[in-house]
Amino acid sequence: MRLSNKNKAVLIALEYGYDVSRDGKRVKGVRVKRIKLQTVKKYGKKYKGFTVRLKCGQRATVLVHKLQAYKKYGKAAFESGIVVRHLNDNSLHNNWDNLALGTQAENMQDKVENNKLEEDNLPF
């Protein structure tokens, strides 16, 4: 399985001892009790994330929902064609019960069910 840079950043964060709370609101590290989360804009949405320094001196952004999904689902969170869905369609809510794996089509269906998108406007 070829990993994207986002997924590699998750594995590096875990290797460095970072962990996310079950409610998805706090990240802690081995040396730091609480990591300050930043709001990262990706794909036109806002997500919570934090930065880790790589051994080569570069930095990588870890998205909290990707870290939480990996903790919950393991390698399945990194499979091709799979996205991490926020069931309530709020990309800032990263709690354990709000995240699920699925396809992009299922992710769009969540928007319909949460009245965020009209069913007639789905791209498929």
Side-chain angles (χ1 to χ4, degrees), residues 53-69:
R53 184 169 297 183
L54 307 178
K55 293 174 184 170
C56 63
Q58 294 179 333
R59 294 175 182 258
T61 299
V62 179
L63 299 175
V64 174
H65 71 282
K66 296 290 274 181
L67 179 60
Q68 188 79 292

Side-chain angles (χ1 to χ4, degrees), residues 62-101:
V62 179
L63 299 175
V64 174
H65 71 282
K66 296 290 274 181
L67 179 60
Q68 188 79 292
Y70 186 82
K71 284 181 56 181
K72 186 174 181 179
Y73 297 106
K75 291 180 184 177
F78 294 163
E79 287 182 17
S80 179
I82 297 297
V83 298
V84 179
R85 298 163 45 210
H86 290 86
L87 298 177
N88 71 354
D89 199 42
N90 185 333
S91 60
L92 298 174
H93 290 179
N94 298 307
N95 67 44
W96 188 272
D97 296 325
N98 189 47
L99 299 180
L101 298 182

Side-chain angles (χ1 to χ4, degrees), residues 12-67:
I12 290 167
L14 288 169
E15 179 184 328
Y16 288 175
Y18 288 87
D19 193 20
V20 60
S21 62
R22 195 168 169 95
D23 66 8
K25 294 180 180 178
R26 293 176 309 282
V27 173
K28 62 182 178 177
V30 173
R31 295 186 192 125
V32 183
K33 287 187 177 182
R34 191 168 184 171
I35 307 297
K36 183 174 180 173
L37 296 179
Q38 53 199 338
T39 301
V40 180
K41 193 167 185 177
K42 295 250 185 201
Y43 320 114
K45 292 188 104 175
K46 292 180 181 178
Y47 296 94
K48 290 294 184 181
F50 60 98
T51 304
V52 294
R53 184 169 297 183
L54 307 178
K55 293 174 184 170
C56 63
Q58 294 179 333
R59 294 175 182 258
T61 299
V62 179
L63 299 175
V64 174
H65 71 282
K66 296 290 274 181
L67 179 60

Side-chain angles (χ1 to χ4, degrees), residues 45 88-89 104-124:
K45 292 188 104 175
N88 71 354
D89 199 42
Q104 184 59 35
E106 291 170 320
N107 200 29
M108 295 303 288
Q109 188 61 38
D110 293 341
K111 292 176 184 279
V112 171
E113 291 172 7
N114 289 310
N115 298 318
K116 301 279 182 170
L117 185 69
E118 294 298 321
E119 196 161 3
D120 295 338
N121 295 332
L122 286 177
F124 50 89

Side-chain angles (χ1 to χ4, degrees), residues 1-11 43 66 78:
M1 171 187 327
R2 184 178 158 107
L3 295 178
S4 69
N5 288 339
K6 294 180 302 198
N7 294 339
K8 286 178 187 175
V10 168
L11 295 179
Y43 320 114
K66 296 290 274 181
F78 294 163

